[in-house]
Structure formats: C-alpha cells, structure tokens
Amino acid sequence: MRAFVVTKYKGPLQEADVPEPTVGEHDVLVRVEAAGLNPLDEKIRAGEFKQILPYQLPLILGNDVAGTVITVGTAVRGLKPGDEVYARPDQDRIGTFAERIAVAEGDLALKPASISMEEAGSLPLAALTAWQALVERGKVRPGQKVLIHAGAGGVGSIAIQLATHLGASVATTASGSNADFVRALGADTVIDYRTQDFEQLLTGYDLVLDSLGGETLEKSLRVLKPGGKAIGITGPPDPAFAREAGLNPLLRLAVTGLSRKIRKQAKKLGVTYEFLFMRASGDQLRQITTLIDQGAMRPVVGKVFPFDQTPHALQSLSQGGIRGKAVIANS
C-alpha cells in the first residue's frame, strides 16, 4: 500500500510502501478518496507534540478522511462495504495520507449526501473542533457575542457558520481581501487584522475561539465580558488537558507551567481560558452531517492537490492564502 510517511521529526514526507492496515473486529477499512490537510499535520511532522503525542516513527500523517468502506470487522453493525463515510480518526490511529486506513466504527459517520468527497474530506477535524468549542464547551446561545479568529481559515470558516446557526452575533478577524467572503459565511463584524486592532474595536464578548495564540490570545481575554471564556486550539495546553490526556506527573507540571501566565491573566480579568485538543466523534459528525445536508453549513475547499503531491501540499499550508481547507484527492 502506498502512503506518505515521516521517518524522523523535522524530516520530509516520503512516499513508501507500507503494510496493509490491520482491521480489528470493531474497525472499518476505508479506501481513502480525499484527505484534508491541517496545521496539526505539520506540527506533528516538526515534532512539536512529541512529548504529549508520542507517536512511533515511521508515521503516516493525515487527520481527515473521506472515502468508501471496503470491509468491516466482525462486530461492526452500522456500516457496510460500499458506504461513503468520513471521519477524523482517533489521535492514536491517524494516517489518512495513504490509500487505505482502518478506522474505529465509533469515529465514522456517513458522508453528507449533498457534498463531494473532497468537500467531506475537508470537514472532520475543523468541524469537530468548531462543534466542541462552540456547542460542547462554549454552550453558545442565541444573542451571545462570539469572536472567531482567522475566519477565512479551515476552522474559522466552519466556526463562523456554526456560531451563526446557533444564533450568536459573530465577529471575526481576516484580511481585507477576505472581508466579503467571511461576511457571506455569516460574520456580522469583520476586523482587518492588517490595519485594525480588534482589541480597540470589540468589547463585551461571551466567547473567543482563538487559533493564533501568543499576543492575539492575550488581547482576546480583554475583549471578553466578566465570566466570558477564551478557548485556544493552538495553545498553550492547560492542566485540564494534561489530566485528560493521562500525562505523567512531570509532564503535567510542565504543561501547568506553560499556561500559568495566560491563566493568571484570565483570572485577573474575571474570565477563563481553556485549551481544546479536539477528539474523534462519529456521533458529533452525524449531527454535523444533518446541518450540512440541511444547508445550515457548507464546507469551504480552497485547493485540491493530487495524492502524489502530498508533500508539496503540506508545505503549502505555511504559505497561507488558501480560503478554507486544502485537500488531497486520491483518484
């Protein structure tokens, strides 16, 4: 089976022949038709998460998949060969930059009928991130004010639509050239991050979804109203994440130190900060499928690369300029 693998951290993606996936009794073997490209893939390649995600090398990257079921394990009841599905595989079983992948049934959902394989391949990680931030943790309600950074990006473009569907008033940061694009997605207020300072223009927000970190995250705390919440998907990780991830005591201490400054700032302002490392969920994807097929949300695919250009496609993420998601197609 062909796949693109990382043989050492910070090393290039290399095409290789790898063993066929092992299909357990609760697993589904999927022919990969499309796979979304995510900054997370590049961070894993660069070794940024090797302490908290101790992957064994060589490693097949890829955190999004849309494809067709080939075979199912003996205990699988909800899917059958020929079904079109999509998923974000569990973090311990990534590897969608390949011709085939075995995914746990519980992480899979039927692909939305109204969209293409490439569009479905762009969705799982970004849509689950938005869902877990806005619905599960943020509990966004009608009339609330939500700030979503990088609104033209993969997570941002979905999160704007979801927050709008939930009845929130949405502000976002984007370049001036993307202002009309993010307004079409549902943004009420657009801040041109190149010429405007969102901290000077926004106040009284209930929730911020931050994908940038650093100074942007610190400023985001200051646009929240008392009791508001900032959810970061770039970091720094917090003690709650360390507990949920089952990190050893030494790593828990290190993680606590990484986020101490931002948590202290949040407490002083009367707001909270949480780190979100999204998890796989077929159940949540099924709810997202309903919204997609009802027309409440739509995937945004900025560019499609052929499978054999996967290394180039991953490198292109750092250059920016792609609206929504980039996807590789395995045709």
Side-chain angles (χ1 to χ4, degrees):
M1 179 183 77
R2 290 191 309 151
F4 284 92
V5 303
V6 173
T7 58
K8 63 178 180 178
Y9 288 122
K10 299 184 180 180
L13 279 187
Q14 299 177 334
E15 188 171 1
D17 288 323
V18 298
E20 288 289 329
T22 300
V23 182
E25 62 177 357
H26 294 282
D27 293 341
V28 175
L29 182 63
V30 178
R31 181 171 65 248
V32 179
E33 312 282 0
L37 293 150
N38 295 285
L40 177 60
D41 298 306
E42 176 59 20
K43 290 178 184 293
I44 294 172
R45 185 197 67 81
E48 292 186 26
F49 290 131
K50 62 184 178 181
Q51 295 298 323
I52 58 177
L53 294 175
Y55 289 115
Q56 296 293 313
L57 301 180
L59 171 69
I60 305 172
L61 291 178
N63 285 270
D64 279 323
V65 63
T68 306
V69 174
I70 301 172
T71 60
V72 301
T74 56
V76 171
R77 297 291 179 264
L79 295 168
K80 64 184 185 305
D83 283 343
E84 295 184 338
V85 295
Y86 71 148
R88 193 281 188 175
D90 182 79
Q91 66 183 40
D92 295 329
R93 301 184 65 180
I94 66 170
T96 64
F97 296 167
E99 293 180 306
R100 291 172 289 281
I101 184 173
V103 184
E105 181 184 17
D107 296 339
L108 284 159
L110 291 173
K111 178 186 81 68
S114 60
I115 62 175
S116 67
M117 278 290 184
E118 289 82 6
E119 289 173 320
S122 76
L123 273 173
L125 186 142
L128 287 170
T129 299
W131 185 276
Q132 290 166 20
L134 302 179
V135 177
E136 191 173 74
R137 294 207 188 181
K139 296 179 173 57
V140 172
R141 302 183 304 277
Q144 290 190 315
K145 295 167 64 175
V146 175
L147 168 60
I148 296 166
H149 284 296
V155 173
S157 60
I158 293 296
I160 288 172
Q161 297 178 76
L162 180 57
T164 300
H165 172 74
L166 295 170
S169 173
V170 180
T172 191
T173 54
S175 65
S177 61
N178 280 323
D180 289 341
F181 169 69
V182 294
R183 285 193 184 98
L185 295 176
D188 301 287
T189 302
V190 181
I191 307 298
D192 184 342
Y193 68 85
R194 292 174 176 166
T195 62
Q196 298 175 298
D197 184 349
F198 73 90
E199 184 188 358
Q200 301 302 316
L201 299 171
L202 304 177
T203 187
Y205 275 69
D206 297 278
L207 182 72
V208 177
L209 176 54
D210 174 60
S211 57
L212 301 173
E215 184 183 4
T216 299
L217 175 57
E218 293 183 16
K219 287 185 173 184
S220 294
L221 297 179
R222 296 193 286 270
V223 306
L224 290 168
K225 71 179 186 181
K229 180 183 295 185
I231 297 176
I233 60 175
T234 299
D238 60 7
F241 164 77
R243 289 192 300 272
E244 292 167 6
L247 302 183
N248 65 50
L250 189 60
L251 280 177
R252 287 191 190 187
L253 187 62
V255 165
T256 298
L258 287 173
S259 61
R260 181 175 287 113
K261 178 183 175 182
I262 197 71
R263 289 185 290 111
K264 184 177 180 180
Q265 290 174 339
K267 185 176 181 180
K268 185 177 180 180
L269 292 165
V271 300
T272 57
Y273 165 73
E274 294 181 6
F275 173 67
L276 171 64
F277 192 90
M278 60 75 58
R279 69 184 191 283
S281 173
D283 288 340
Q284 291 179 354
L285 279 179
R286 280 184 280 278
Q287 296 179 77
I288 291 163
T289 291
T290 298
L291 295 182
I292 296 290
D293 283 340
Q294 289 176 345
M297 290 165 39
R298 61 181 176 88
V300 179
V301 176
K303 191 164 185 178
V304 178
F305 296 87
F307 179 71
D308 60 6
Q309 290 187 20
T310 299
H312 167 70
L314 190 60
Q315 291 175 356
S316 74
L317 292 185
S318 63
Q319 300 167 8
I322 297 176
R323 286 179 175 174
K325 290 287 290 292
V327 176
I328 58 171
N330 196 356
S331 56

